[in-house]
Structure formats: structure tokens, C-alpha cells
Amino acid sequence: MGVDKLHLLINNEDVETGQYTEVKDPGRYTDVVGLVAKGTVQHVEQAVQAAHQAFASWRQTSLEERSALFMQAAKLLEEDTSSLSEMLTRENGMLLNDASMEVGLSPYVIYLTLENAQAFFQSKQAEDEVSFVSVEKRPIGVIAAIVPWNAPFVLTLQKLVPAVLAGNTIVIKPSPNAPISISRALRKMAALFPDGVINVIHGDTDVGTALTTHPLVRKITFTGGGKTAKHIMKGAADSLKGVHFELGGNDPAIVLDDADLDEVVPKIVQGAFWRSGQICFDIKRVYVPQAMYDAFYRRTCDLVDAYKVGHGLNPDATLGPVNNKLQYQYVKELIEGARQSGAKVIELGQKLEPANWDNGYFLQPAVVRDVEPGQDIVTCEQFGPVIPLIAYRSEEEALRMANMTEYGLASSVWSSDFERALRVTREIEAGMTFINGHGQSPLGAKLMPFGGVKQSGIGRENSEVGLAEYIEYHAINYHKQSH
């Protein structure tokens, strides 16, 4: 397979740089899948200036014009799903089926946003004998978007579409760990729009800092880790920029004592190990009634042992590698720390290509039992193929342990009694809670604001609430002359 060379995209032009960095296949890291331009602070200046100049005219276009361009963009994505998915697998590590789903959801993000936009952008007007009032929604300006490697299509589109649809322009910085496929898609989309509306840069920390501190950037939207978010927030303070953060999760699943384990365990295992545990709202810890603990553990191990770990393009693989060296080492250290603490760790699954095992960031899926509720492997965001099981003796204890964290992204409750589950759900400190599933239904994807509380984020994505992140309100009050 050929090696892609990816440039910056500024003002709808490819911009070559003096340095290019290698992107390697996390499932076969002797393979270089692409070379990515390493931008500089000067490139950030060019990109932000291009976006700023484009904003003057883009903000004047109608919602109908913007919507029509996004409809064309959705069609482009639908036509290119196959090649984009294969590249995404090679740079990200996820299974090809998951990559196809990820790319395939991108047009759906566009359609849902367009559907929500029609009502959202209407002005609110009122009039009486003495005055007229209009509350209108205006774009903010240049938006800086920094997106991660784990779900680059959906997470980028959830920022790009509402921001640009609202009349803003944007500079996007993809993750260096999976920049190629999303940048390919963005380049095609950007060509539909006026020059400077959509810009894409790449680079290290200096580029990210230059982007998030630039005086012409009016708002920053970032998906990633809390440590980086704090750094961005401090830098944003100098010019009082708006910030929107979608950060990590330590999502609890609470199994109630009336749950049917035959129904529940397969769904929980899937919710914990989807994309090798590298989704912000994957299940990160499971609370199980003491009386059901051993049965739950046995069923979980049986299902986890059926995973076949291999390269994302191997059709037999049901679990891929983790994405990068830092994450690989972090998860290995967590597992070792759990063992040292006295917890029982069992690593399961089948190695599909044992000879290639050391040529990728492969980890066998692990189940951890008899672990203390305050252990690192329970309280952190593991972001890898490992799930700790914690026993509880009462609903109150389960809720106390579930809420004993600074995270608050998603959560789930599992029960045969909807009313009981709903009552427990309302005691959980999280931005989202699912009942008898772990993820959004089609109706949920349309209506649920996506985001967390506490240190899992600031603001929301999706729904009308997500559109509101990218507008300012302009209130007009006309005083009628008295007669």
C-alpha cells in the first residue's frame, strides 16, 4: 500500500511544510501509513487569519445556503466510506467494521444537525403597545476545534457542523495519532465551501497552544483529556475566550438485583470492550450485588474469553490493538498495579497472529475481580480492554461508589423494573444515563445533549443544546414613540 503525504489545508489550499512526521499502524507498527505535515506557529497565524477574513462574508449567508452545502458534504462522505474506513483502521487500530460504522455515522451527524437547526435558529419576537423585542442568534467568529484519535469522524463533525452551520468559520487540529482519514474527508468538504471557512492544521503542542491562545479565535472546542483542557482553559483566560470541553469518563454500570444476567452480561461486556475500551463513554466499572457477583464474573469471563485479538483489517479479529504507546503502557501499568494490590486479574481471549503480537499495541482483554473500590483501576479512565467488577451490598452503597469520582460523563443502570431503574438513575451524577443499554438509541442520538458534569466537561454536543454552543444572543428592543 502507498504512503499518503498529508499537507495543511489553509484557505482551501494545500500548504507544504519543512517537516513531516510518520503515522504508524498501531497493529503493525513497522508499517508507515502516512506522512503528516508538521505545522508551525506561523501556519496557525495564516489559518486563523484566513478563517477570520472568511467570517465577514460567511456570516452573511443564509441558513438555507449553509444547509445546502452540508447536504452536499454528506453525500461526499457517503460516497467515500470504503476507502476512508480502511485508512482509519490502519492509522487508528479499530476493527474495519467499527471504522466503517464511524465513517458511516458522519452523514447522520450532518442530517441530525440540519434537522435540529430549522427550529433552533428562529428569532424570538414579542410586541406590545410600547415596544418591540427581538432576541436573535448570531455567530461568534473563528472557532478552534481540537479533536482526538479514538472517534475522529463523529467527534469532528459534532463540532464542525453546528459551528459552521451557525455562521462561524473554523480551524481544526486533528490528533497526530489518527489525522489522515479525517483530513482527507475535511479537504473534500472544505472544497464545497468558500475559501477559509474550513481550515485544517497539524503539529505539536506549540501549534495547539498558538491556536487556542490566538486573539482572533473566539471559542475553543476540545475533546480529550482533563490535563490538556486545564492548560487550554488557562490560556483562554487571557482573552476571555469561550471554551467547550468534552472530556473523559469513568462510566459506572450498576446492575440491580432483579436484573436478568443472561440478558445483561452480553450487553455490559460489549459496552466495556467496544473499540478495545477506547471510547469516552465505554463502561469503565461494574457494580454487582454481592449475591450475584460470582455468577456475573463467570458469565463475563466466558464472553470475554471469546474475543479474538488481532489487526483491525483481519476479518477474524473481534478486538483490535490500543492506539498508541502511551496508552498501551498506561493500561499495562494499571493491570500490574491491580495485581500488586491483591485483586484477581484474568487476561483472556485468543491471539490471532502470535508472531505479530510484539509488532503492535496488542493487549488481551482483562477482567478484574475482588478489587477495592478506591483502586486506580476502578477510579481512573482506563481507556483500554479491561473491566473491574465491584461487589455491593445495598443500592445506597452502589450509588455512593458510583458517584465517588470527579468524572461524570455517562452511566448505566440494569434492571427488570423500569420504575426502579429510573429512580436509581436520577441519583447518579452524570450528564447521561442509559437504562438496559450503554449508548444512544436513534431517538436518543437526535434529542440527547451529549456531555458530562464535574470534570467530564463543560457544555454539550448534539441536539439544539449543542447548536447553542456556537452562537451569541443579540437582543434588540425598539421603543415606540408615545402619542
Side-chain angles (χ1 to χ4, degrees), residues 249 251 271 274 279-284 381 383 409-410 432 434 438-440 450:
D251 294 9
W274 183 40
I279 294 288
C280 57
F281 66 100
D282 269 348
I283 294 171
K284 308 295 195 304
E381 182 181 32
F383 229 64
L409 184 56
M432 304 170 286
F434 310 106
H438 201 87
Q440 297 153 310
F450 186 99

Side-chain angles (χ1 to χ4, degrees), residues 341-358:
S341 75
K344 182 176 180 180
V345 180
I346 181 165
E347 293 175 88
L348 299 158
Q350 176 187 339
K351 298 179 182 180
L352 278 184
E353 300 172 65
N356 187 54
W357 193 257
D358 293 330

Side-chain angles (χ1 to χ4, degrees), residues 110-153:
I110 294 175
Y111 297 138
L112 279 184
T113 308
L114 293 178
E115 190 176 338
N116 286 323
Q118 298 310 310
F120 174 77
F121 285 109
Q122 297 298 315
S123 299
K124 186 176 181 180
Q125 298 178 337
E127 189 172 6
D128 61 14
E129 289 91 5
V130 296
S131 71
F132 163 85
V133 172
S134 181
V135 180
E136 301 175 358
K137 292 159 183 169
R138 301 278 182 86
I140 300 170
V142 179
I143 307 295
I146 300 179
V147 292
W149 50 263
N150 64 315
F153 278 79

Side-chain angles (χ1 to χ4, degrees), residues 70-71 73-79 81 100-114 153-154 157 161:
F70 272 115
M71 286 296 287
K75 301 297 184 200
L76 278 182
L77 288 169
E78 287 173 346
E79 291 165 6
T81 298
S100 299
M101 185 188 303
E102 162 78 4
V103 178
L105 281 172
S106 304
Y108 189 58
V109 173
I110 294 175
Y111 297 138
L112 279 184
T113 308
L114 293 178
F153 278 79
V154 169
L157 270 288
V161 184

Side-chain angles (χ1 to χ4, degrees), residues 253 263-277 282-283 286 296-307 319 365 367 386-387 389 414 438:
E263 285 275 325
V264 163
V265 176
K267 293 176 182 176
I268 289 179
V269 167
Q270 183 181 24
F273 290 94
W274 183 40
R275 297 193 192 172
S276 301
D282 269 348
I283 294 171
V286 187
F296 190 97
Y297 171 74
R298 286 193 299 272
R299 282 175 166 86
T300 299
C301 289
D302 287 345
L303 289 169
V304 173
D305 199 33
Y307 278 115
L319 201 74
V367 181
V386 55
I387 191 68
L389 310 180
W414 305 79
H438 201 87

